[in-house]
mmCIF file with all atom_site columns, all heavy atoms in Angstrom:
data_model
loop_
_atom_site.group_PDB
_atom_site.id
_atom_site.type_symbol
_atom_site.label_atom_id
_atom_site.label_alt_id
_atom_site.label_comp_id
_atom_site.label_asym_id
_atom_site.label_entity_id
_atom_site.label_seq_id
_atom_site.pdbx_PDB_ins_code
_atom_site.Cartn_x
_atom_site.Cartn_y
_atom_site.Cartn_z
_atom_site.occupancy
_atom_site.B_iso_or_equiv
_atom_site.pdbx_formal_charge
_atom_site.auth_seq_id
_atom_site.auth_comp_id
_atom_site.auth_asym_id
_atom_site.auth_atom_id
_atom_site.pdbx_PDB_model_num
ATOM 1   N N   . VAL A 1 88  ? -16.869 -16.563 12.399 1.00 96.00 ? 88  VAL A N   1
ATOM 2   C CA  . VAL A 1 88  ? -18.280 -16.957 12.343 1.00 96.00 ? 88  VAL A CA  1
ATOM 3   C C   . VAL A 1 88  ? -18.902 -16.887 13.737 1.00 96.00 ? 88  VAL A C   1
ATOM 4   O O   . VAL A 1 88  ? -20.011 -16.359 13.906 1.00 96.00 ? 88  VAL A O   1
ATOM 5   C CB  . VAL A 1 88  ? -18.430 -18.371 11.742 1.00 96.00 ? 88  VAL A CB  1
ATOM 6   C CG1 . VAL A 1 88  ? -19.851 -18.892 11.927 1.00 96.00 ? 88  VAL A CG1 1
ATOM 7   C CG2 . VAL A 1 88  ? -18.049 -18.375 10.277 1.00 96.00 ? 88  VAL A CG2 1
ATOM 8   N N   . ILE A 1 89  ? -18.181 -17.373 14.753 1.00 96.00 ? 89  ILE A N   1
ATOM 9   C CA  . ILE A 1 89  ? -18.700 -17.345 16.128 1.00 96.00 ? 89  ILE A CA  1
ATOM 10  C C   . ILE A 1 89  ? -18.910 -15.909 16.589 1.00 96.00 ? 89  ILE A C   1
ATOM 11  O O   . ILE A 1 89  ? -19.957 -15.570 17.162 1.00 96.00 ? 89  ILE A O   1
ATOM 12  C CB  . ILE A 1 89  ? -17.743 -18.108 17.076 1.00 96.00 ? 89  ILE A CB  1
ATOM 13  C CG1 . ILE A 1 89  ? -17.788 -19.604 16.774 1.00 96.00 ? 89  ILE A CG1 1
ATOM 14  C CG2 . ILE A 1 89  ? -18.092 -17.840 18.539 1.00 96.00 ? 89  ILE A CG2 1
ATOM 15  C CD1 . ILE A 1 89  ? -16.707 -20.420 17.460 1.00 96.00 ? 89  ILE A CD1 1
ATOM 16  N N   . ILE A 1 90  ? -17.933 -15.039 16.342 1.00 96.00 ? 90  ILE A N   1
ATOM 17  C CA  . ILE A 1 90  ? -18.054 -13.634 16.746 1.00 96.00 ? 90  ILE A CA  1
ATOM 18  C C   . ILE A 1 90  ? -19.222 -12.968 16.019 1.00 96.00 ? 90  ILE A C   1
ATOM 19  O O   . ILE A 1 90  ? -19.987 -12.203 16.620 1.00 96.00 ? 90  ILE A O   1
ATOM 20  C CB  . ILE A 1 90  ? -16.735 -12.869 16.502 1.00 96.00 ? 90  ILE A CB  1
ATOM 21  C CG1 . ILE A 1 90  ? -15.649 -13.376 17.443 1.00 96.00 ? 90  ILE A CG1 1
ATOM 22  C CG2 . ILE A 1 90  ? -16.937 -11.360 16.687 1.00 96.00 ? 90  ILE A CG2 1
ATOM 23  C CD1 . ILE A 1 90  ? -14.268 -12.845 17.144 1.00 96.00 ? 90  ILE A CD1 1
ATOM 24  N N   . THR A 1 91  ? -19.393 -13.275 14.748 1.00 95.00 ? 91  THR A N   1
ATOM 25  C CA  . THR A 1 91  ? -20.501 -12.693 13.978 1.00 95.00 ? 91  THR A CA  1
ATOM 26  C C   . THR A 1 91  ? -21.848 -13.119 14.551 1.00 95.00 ? 91  THR A C   1
ATOM 27  O O   . THR A 1 91  ? -22.758 -12.291 14.693 1.00 95.00 ? 91  THR A O   1
ATOM 28  C CB  . THR A 1 91  ? -20.394 -13.106 12.494 1.00 95.00 ? 91  THR A CB  1
ATOM 29  O OG1 . THR A 1 91  ? -19.131 -12.680 11.984 1.00 95.00 ? 91  THR A OG1 1
ATOM 30  C CG2 . THR A 1 91  ? -21.505 -12.493 11.668 1.00 95.00 ? 91  THR A CG2 1
ATOM 31  N N   . VAL A 1 92  ? -21.992 -14.387 14.907 1.00 95.00 ? 92  VAL A N   1
ATOM 32  C CA  . VAL A 1 92  ? -23.246 -14.880 15.501 1.00 95.00 ? 92  VAL A CA  1
ATOM 33  C C   . VAL A 1 92  ? -23.505 -14.188 16.839 1.00 95.00 ? 92  VAL A C   1
ATOM 34  O O   . VAL A 1 92  ? -24.639 -13.767 17.124 1.00 95.00 ? 92  VAL A O   1
ATOM 35  C CB  . VAL A 1 92  ? -23.213 -16.416 15.658 1.00 95.00 ? 92  VAL A CB  1
ATOM 36  C CG1 . VAL A 1 92  ? -24.378 -16.915 16.498 1.00 95.00 ? 92  VAL A CG1 1
ATOM 37  C CG2 . VAL A 1 92  ? -23.204 -17.089 14.295 1.00 95.00 ? 92  VAL A CG2 1
ATOM 38  N N   . ILE A 1 93  ? -22.472 -14.034 17.661 1.00 95.00 ? 93  ILE A N   1
ATOM 39  C CA  . ILE A 1 93  ? -22.621 -13.356 18.955 1.00 95.00 ? 93  ILE A CA  1
ATOM 40  C C   . ILE A 1 93  ? -23.055 -11.905 18.754 1.00 95.00 ? 93  ILE A C   1
ATOM 41  O O   . ILE A 1 93  ? -23.941 -11.403 19.454 1.00 95.00 ? 93  ILE A O   1
ATOM 42  C CB  . ILE A 1 93  ? -21.309 -13.439 19.768 1.00 95.00 ? 93  ILE A CB  1
ATOM 43  C CG1 . ILE A 1 93  ? -21.061 -14.879 20.216 1.00 95.00 ? 93  ILE A CG1 1
ATOM 44  C CG2 . ILE A 1 93  ? -21.350 -12.507 20.980 1.00 95.00 ? 93  ILE A CG2 1
ATOM 45  C CD1 . ILE A 1 93  ? -19.680 -15.130 20.796 1.00 95.00 ? 93  ILE A CD1 1
ATOM 46  N N   . VAL A 1 94  ? -22.432 -11.211 17.802 1.00 94.00 ? 94  VAL A N   1
ATOM 47  C CA  . VAL A 1 94  ? -22.789 -9.816  17.534 1.00 94.00 ? 94  VAL A CA  1
ATOM 48  C C   . VAL A 1 94  ? -24.242 -9.708  17.069 1.00 94.00 ? 94  VAL A C   1
ATOM 49  O O   . VAL A 1 94  ? -24.983 -8.827  17.524 1.00 94.00 ? 94  VAL A O   1
ATOM 50  C CB  . VAL A 1 94  ? -21.825 -9.199  16.496 1.00 94.00 ? 94  VAL A CB  1
ATOM 51  C CG1 . VAL A 1 94  ? -22.354 -7.882  15.952 1.00 94.00 ? 94  VAL A CG1 1
ATOM 52  C CG2 . VAL A 1 94  ? -20.450 -8.989  17.109 1.00 94.00 ? 94  VAL A CG2 1
ATOM 53  N N   . LEU A 1 95  ? -24.683 -10.617 16.193 1.00 93.00 ? 95  LEU A N   1
ATOM 54  C CA  . LEU A 1 95  ? -26.065 -10.591 15.734 1.00 93.00 ? 95  LEU A CA  1
ATOM 55  C C   . LEU A 1 95  ? -27.032 -10.836 16.885 1.00 93.00 ? 95  LEU A C   1
ATOM 56  O O   . LEU A 1 95  ? -28.075 -10.175 16.990 1.00 93.00 ? 95  LEU A O   1
ATOM 57  C CB  . LEU A 1 95  ? -26.279 -11.617 14.616 1.00 93.00 ? 95  LEU A CB  1
ATOM 58  C CG  . LEU A 1 95  ? -25.647 -11.261 13.278 1.00 93.00 ? 95  LEU A CG  1
ATOM 59  C CD1 . LEU A 1 95  ? -25.679 -12.457 12.328 1.00 93.00 ? 95  LEU A CD1 1
ATOM 60  C CD2 . LEU A 1 95  ? -26.343 -10.055 12.648 1.00 93.00 ? 95  LEU A CD2 1
ATOM 61  N N   . PHE A 1 96  ? -26.701 -11.780 17.764 1.00 91.00 ? 96  PHE A N   1
ATOM 62  C CA  . PHE A 1 96  ? -27.530 -12.046 18.943 1.00 91.00 ? 96  PHE A CA  1
ATOM 63  C C   . PHE A 1 96  ? -27.597 -10.808 19.829 1.00 91.00 ? 96  PHE A C   1
ATOM 64  O O   . PHE A 1 96  ? -28.675 -10.427 20.308 1.00 91.00 ? 96  PHE A O   1
ATOM 65  C CB  . PHE A 1 96  ? -26.964 -13.246 19.727 1.00 91.00 ? 96  PHE A CB  1
ATOM 66  C CG  . PHE A 1 96  ? -27.668 -13.485 21.019 1.00 91.00 ? 96  PHE A CG  1
ATOM 67  C CD1 . PHE A 1 96  ? -28.917 -14.085 21.033 1.00 91.00 ? 96  PHE A CD1 1
ATOM 68  C CD2 . PHE A 1 96  ? -27.099 -13.091 22.219 1.00 91.00 ? 96  PHE A CD2 1
ATOM 69  C CE1 . PHE A 1 96  ? -29.583 -14.309 22.237 1.00 91.00 ? 96  PHE A CE1 1
ATOM 70  C CE2 . PHE A 1 96  ? -27.751 -13.309 23.425 1.00 91.00 ? 96  PHE A CE2 1
ATOM 71  C CZ  . PHE A 1 96  ? -28.994 -13.920 23.434 1.00 91.00 ? 96  PHE A CZ  1
ATOM 72  N N   . ASP A 1 97  ? -26.437 -10.167 20.050 1.00 89.00 ? 97  ASP A N   1
ATOM 73  C CA  . ASP A 1 97  ? -26.393 -8.969  20.886 1.00 89.00 ? 97  ASP A CA  1
ATOM 74  C C   . ASP A 1 97  ? -27.185 -7.811  20.281 1.00 89.00 ? 97  ASP A C   1
ATOM 75  O O   . ASP A 1 97  ? -27.788 -7.022  21.007 1.00 89.00 ? 97  ASP A O   1
ATOM 76  C CB  . ASP A 1 97  ? -24.944 -8.520  21.122 1.00 89.00 ? 97  ASP A CB  1
ATOM 77  C CG  . ASP A 1 97  ? -24.200 -9.452  22.073 1.00 89.00 ? 97  ASP A CG  1
ATOM 78  O OD1 . ASP A 1 97  ? -24.869 -10.283 22.713 1.00 89.00 ? 97  ASP A OD1 1
ATOM 79  O OD2 . ASP A 1 97  ? -22.965 -9.347  22.164 1.00 89.00 ? 97  ASP A OD2 1
ATOM 80  N N   . LEU A 1 98  ? -27.158 -7.708  18.960 1.00 88.00 ? 98  LEU A N   1
ATOM 81  C CA  . LEU A 1 98  ? -27.930 -6.642  18.306 1.00 88.00 ? 98  LEU A CA  1
ATOM 82  C C   . LEU A 1 98  ? -29.424 -6.785  18.570 1.00 88.00 ? 98  LEU A C   1
ATOM 83  O O   . LEU A 1 98  ? -30.153 -5.799  18.578 1.00 88.00 ? 98  LEU A O   1
ATOM 84  C CB  . LEU A 1 98  ? -27.686 -6.654  16.791 1.00 88.00 ? 98  LEU A CB  1
ATOM 85  C CG  . LEU A 1 98  ? -26.426 -5.953  16.296 1.00 88.00 ? 98  LEU A CG  1
ATOM 86  C CD1 . LEU A 1 98  ? -26.268 -6.149  14.794 1.00 88.00 ? 98  LEU A CD1 1
ATOM 87  C CD2 . LEU A 1 98  ? -26.431 -4.479  16.641 1.00 88.00 ? 98  LEU A CD2 1
ATOM 88  N N   . ILE A 1 99  ? -29.865 -8.006  18.788 1.00 86.00 ? 99  ILE A N   1
ATOM 89  C CA  . ILE A 1 99  ? -31.283 -8.224  19.087 1.00 86.00 ? 99  ILE A CA  1
ATOM 90  C C   . ILE A 1 99  ? -31.510 -8.181  20.601 1.00 86.00 ? 99  ILE A C   1
ATOM 91  O O   . ILE A 1 99  ? -32.246 -7.334  21.102 1.00 86.00 ? 99  ILE A O   1
ATOM 92  C CB  . ILE A 1 99  ? -31.771 -9.576  18.527 1.00 86.00 ? 99  ILE A CB  1
ATOM 93  C CG1 . ILE A 1 99  ? -31.618 -9.604  17.009 1.00 86.00 ? 99  ILE A CG1 1
ATOM 94  C CG2 . ILE A 1 99  ? -33.222 -9.830  18.918 1.00 86.00 ? 99  ILE A CG2 1
ATOM 95  C CD1 . ILE A 1 99  ? -31.792 -10.972 16.393 1.00 86.00 ? 99  ILE A CD1 1
ATOM 96  N N   . TYR A 1 100 ? -30.859 -9.077  21.332 1.00 82.00 ? 100 TYR A N   1
ATOM 97  C CA  . TYR A 1 100 ? -31.177 -9.251  22.743 1.00 82.00 ? 100 TYR A CA  1
ATOM 98  C C   . TYR A 1 100 ? -30.760 -8.062  23.613 1.00 82.00 ? 100 TYR A C   1
ATOM 99  O O   . TYR A 1 100 ? -31.554 -7.560  24.412 1.00 82.00 ? 100 TYR A O   1
ATOM 100 C CB  . TYR A 1 100 ? -30.534 -10.536 23.282 1.00 82.00 ? 100 TYR A CB  1
ATOM 101 C CG  . TYR A 1 100 ? -30.837 -10.723 24.744 1.00 82.00 ? 100 TYR A CG  1
ATOM 102 C CD1 . TYR A 1 100 ? -32.102 -11.116 25.154 1.00 82.00 ? 100 TYR A CD1 1
ATOM 103 C CD2 . TYR A 1 100 ? -29.874 -10.474 25.715 1.00 82.00 ? 100 TYR A CD2 1
ATOM 104 C CE1 . TYR A 1 100 ? -32.405 -11.262 26.494 1.00 82.00 ? 100 TYR A CE1 1
ATOM 105 C CE2 . TYR A 1 100 ? -30.165 -10.621 27.058 1.00 82.00 ? 100 TYR A CE2 1
ATOM 106 C CZ  . TYR A 1 100 ? -31.430 -11.019 27.440 1.00 82.00 ? 100 TYR A CZ  1
ATOM 107 O OH  . TYR A 1 100 ? -31.729 -11.148 28.765 1.00 82.00 ? 100 TYR A OH  1
ATOM 108 N N   . LEU A 1 101 ? -29.522 -7.615  23.495 1.00 79.00 ? 101 LEU A N   1
ATOM 109 C CA  . LEU A 1 101 ? -29.060 -6.529  24.365 1.00 79.00 ? 101 LEU A CA  1
ATOM 110 C C   . LEU A 1 101 ? -29.807 -5.226  24.103 1.00 79.00 ? 101 LEU A C   1
ATOM 111 O O   . LEU A 1 101 ? -30.114 -4.484  25.041 1.00 79.00 ? 101 LEU A O   1
ATOM 112 C CB  . LEU A 1 101 ? -27.552 -6.313  24.215 1.00 79.00 ? 101 LEU A CB  1
ATOM 113 C CG  . LEU A 1 101 ? -26.666 -7.435  24.746 1.00 79.00 ? 101 LEU A CG  1
ATOM 114 C CD1 . LEU A 1 101 ? -25.199 -7.095  24.579 1.00 79.00 ? 101 LEU A CD1 1
ATOM 115 C CD2 . LEU A 1 101 ? -26.963 -7.723  26.218 1.00 79.00 ? 101 LEU A CD2 1
ATOM 116 N N   . ARG A 1 102 ? -30.104 -4.946  22.847 1.00 79.00 ? 102 ARG A N   1
ATOM 117 C CA  . ARG A 1 102 ? -30.876 -3.737  22.550 1.00 79.00 ? 102 ARG A CA  1
ATOM 118 C C   . ARG A 1 102 ? -32.298 -3.858  23.090 1.00 79.00 ? 102 ARG A C   1
ATOM 119 O O   . ARG A 1 102 ? -32.861 -2.896  23.595 1.00 79.00 ? 102 ARG A O   1
ATOM 120 C CB  . ARG A 1 102 ? -30.889 -3.478  21.041 1.00 79.00 ? 102 ARG A CB  1
ATOM 121 C CG  . ARG A 1 102 ? -29.535 -3.016  20.546 1.00 79.00 ? 102 ARG A CG  1
ATOM 122 C CD  . ARG A 1 102 ? -29.481 -2.847  19.044 1.00 79.00 ? 102 ARG A CD  1
ATOM 123 N NE  . ARG A 1 102 ? -30.433 -1.866  18.575 1.00 79.00 ? 102 ARG A NE  1
ATOM 124 C CZ  . ARG A 1 102 ? -31.207 -2.027  17.512 1.00 79.00 ? 102 ARG A CZ  1
ATOM 125 N NH1 . ARG A 1 102 ? -31.140 -3.118  16.796 1.00 79.00 ? 102 ARG A NH1 1
ATOM 126 N NH2 . ARG A 1 102 ? -32.051 -1.091  17.146 1.00 79.00 ? 102 ARG A NH2 1
ATOM 127 N N   . TYR A 1 103 ? -32.876 -5.057  22.996 1.00 78.00 ? 103 TYR A N   1
ATOM 128 C CA  . TYR A 1 103 ? -34.223 -5.268  23.523 1.00 78.00 ? 103 TYR A CA  1
ATOM 129 C C   . TYR A 1 103 ? -34.229 -5.171  25.050 1.00 78.00 ? 103 TYR A C   1
ATOM 130 O O   . TYR A 1 103 ? -35.097 -4.519  25.633 1.00 78.00 ? 103 TYR A O   1
ATOM 131 C CB  . TYR A 1 103 ? -34.740 -6.641  23.083 1.00 78.00 ? 103 TYR A CB  1
ATOM 132 C CG  . TYR A 1 103 ? -36.073 -7.007  23.671 1.00 78.00 ? 103 TYR A CG  1
ATOM 133 C CD1 . TYR A 1 103 ? -37.254 -6.477  23.162 1.00 78.00 ? 103 TYR A CD1 1
ATOM 134 C CD2 . TYR A 1 103 ? -36.158 -7.885  24.755 1.00 78.00 ? 103 TYR A CD2 1
ATOM 135 C CE1 . TYR A 1 103 ? -38.485 -6.807  23.706 1.00 78.00 ? 103 TYR A CE1 1
ATOM 136 C CE2 . TYR A 1 103 ? -37.387 -8.223  25.301 1.00 78.00 ? 103 TYR A CE2 1
ATOM 137 C CZ  . TYR A 1 103 ? -38.534 -7.675  24.777 1.00 78.00 ? 103 TYR A CZ  1
ATOM 138 O OH  . TYR A 1 103 ? -39.749 -8.001  25.323 1.00 78.00 ? 103 TYR A OH  1
ATOM 139 N N   . ALA A 1 104 ? -33.253 -5.796  25.691 1.00 75.00 ? 104 ALA A N   1
ATOM 140 C CA  . ALA A 1 104 ? -33.207 -5.819  27.155 1.00 75.00 ? 104 ALA A CA  1
ATOM 141 C C   . ALA A 1 104 ? -32.924 -4.442  27.755 1.00 75.00 ? 104 ALA A C   1
ATOM 142 O O   . ALA A 1 104 ? -33.429 -4.112  28.831 1.00 75.00 ? 104 ALA A O   1
ATOM 143 C CB  . ALA A 1 104 ? -32.148 -6.818  27.626 1.00 75.00 ? 104 ALA A CB  1
ATOM 144 N N   . SER A 1 105 ? -32.116 -3.636  27.071 1.00 72.00 ? 105 SER A N   1
ATOM 145 C CA  . SER A 1 105 ? -31.751 -2.326  27.627 1.00 72.00 ? 105 SER A CA  1
ATOM 146 C C   . SER A 1 105 ? -32.697 -1.206  27.201 1.00 72.00 ? 105 SER A C   1
ATOM 147 O O   . SER A 1 105 ? -32.562 -0.079  27.652 1.00 72.00 ? 105 SER A O   1
ATOM 148 C CB  . SER A 1 105 ? -30.324 -1.967  27.213 1.00 72.00 ? 105 SER A CB  1
ATOM 149 O OG  . SER A 1 105 ? -30.260 -1.781  25.814 1.00 72.00 ? 105 SER A OG  1
ATOM 150 N N   . SER A 1 106 ? -33.666 -1.521  26.369 1.00 73.00 ? 106 SER A N   1
ATOM 151 C CA  . SER A 1 106 ? -34.581 -0.495  25.873 1.00 73.00 ? 106 SER A CA  1
ATOM 152 C C   . SER A 1 106 ? -35.565 -0.072  26.954 1.00 73.00 ? 106 SER A C   1
ATOM 153 O O   . SER A 1 106 ? -36.115 -0.901  27.685 1.00 73.00 ? 106 SER A O   1
ATOM 154 C CB  . SER A 1 106 ? -35.356 -1.019  24.661 1.00 73.00 ? 106 SER A CB  1
ATOM 155 O OG  . SER A 1 106 ? -36.314 -0.084  24.271 1.00 73.00 ? 106 SER A OG  1
ATOM 156 N N   . GLU A 1 107 ? -35.787 1.245   27.046 1.00 71.00 ? 107 GLU A N   1
ATOM 157 C CA  . GLU A 1 107 ? -36.783 1.763   27.985 1.00 71.00 ? 107 GLU A CA  1
ATOM 158 C C   . GLU A 1 107 ? -38.175 1.705   27.366 1.00 71.00 ? 107 GLU A C   1
ATOM 159 O O   . GLU A 1 107 ? -39.160 1.688   28.078 1.00 71.00 ? 107 GLU A O   1
ATOM 160 C CB  . GLU A 1 107 ? -36.424 3.200   28.372 1.00 71.00 ? 107 GLU A CB  1
ATOM 161 C CG  . GLU A 1 107 ? -35.122 3.285   29.142 1.00 71.00 ? 107 GLU A CG  1
ATOM 162 C CD  . GLU A 1 107 ? -34.692 4.715   29.400 1.00 71.00 ? 107 GLU A CD  1
ATOM 163 O OE1 . GLU A 1 107 ? -35.439 5.645   29.038 1.00 71.00 ? 107 GLU A OE1 1
ATOM 164 O OE2 . GLU A 1 107 ? -33.598 4.883   29.960 1.00 71.00 ? 107 GLU A OE2 1
ATOM 165 N N   . GLN A 1 108 ? -38.242 1.689   26.046 1.00 70.00 ? 108 GLN A N   1
ATOM 166 C CA  . GLN A 1 108 ? -39.529 1.601   25.367 1.00 70.00 ? 108 GLN A CA  1
ATOM 167 C C   . GLN A 1 108 ? -39.908 0.131   25.258 1.00 70.00 ? 108 GLN A C   1
ATOM 168 O O   . GLN A 1 108 ? -39.078 -0.717  25.001 1.00 70.00 ? 108 GLN A O   1
ATOM 169 C CB  . GLN A 1 108 ? -39.428 2.210   23.966 1.00 70.00 ? 108 GLN A CB  1
ATOM 170 C CG  . GLN A 1 108 ? -38.889 3.619   23.969 1.00 70.00 ? 108 GLN A CG  1
ATOM 171 C CD  . GLN A 1 108 ? -38.443 4.049   22.585 1.00 70.00 ? 108 GLN A CD  1
ATOM 172 O OE1 . GLN A 1 108 ? -38.582 3.318   21.620 1.00 70.00 ? 108 GLN A OE1 1
ATOM 173 N NE2 . GLN A 1 108 ? -37.905 5.247   22.500 1.00 70.00 ? 108 GLN A NE2 1
#
Side-chain angles (χ1 to χ4, degrees):
V88 169
I89 291 169
I90 292 171
T91 302
V92 169
I93 291 169
V94 166
L95 288 169
F96 174 76
D97 288 348
L98 278 175
I99 299 168
Y100 179 74
L101 292 182
R102 289 176 60 224
Y103 175 78
S105 66
S106 174
E107 295 174 3
Q108 306 164 3

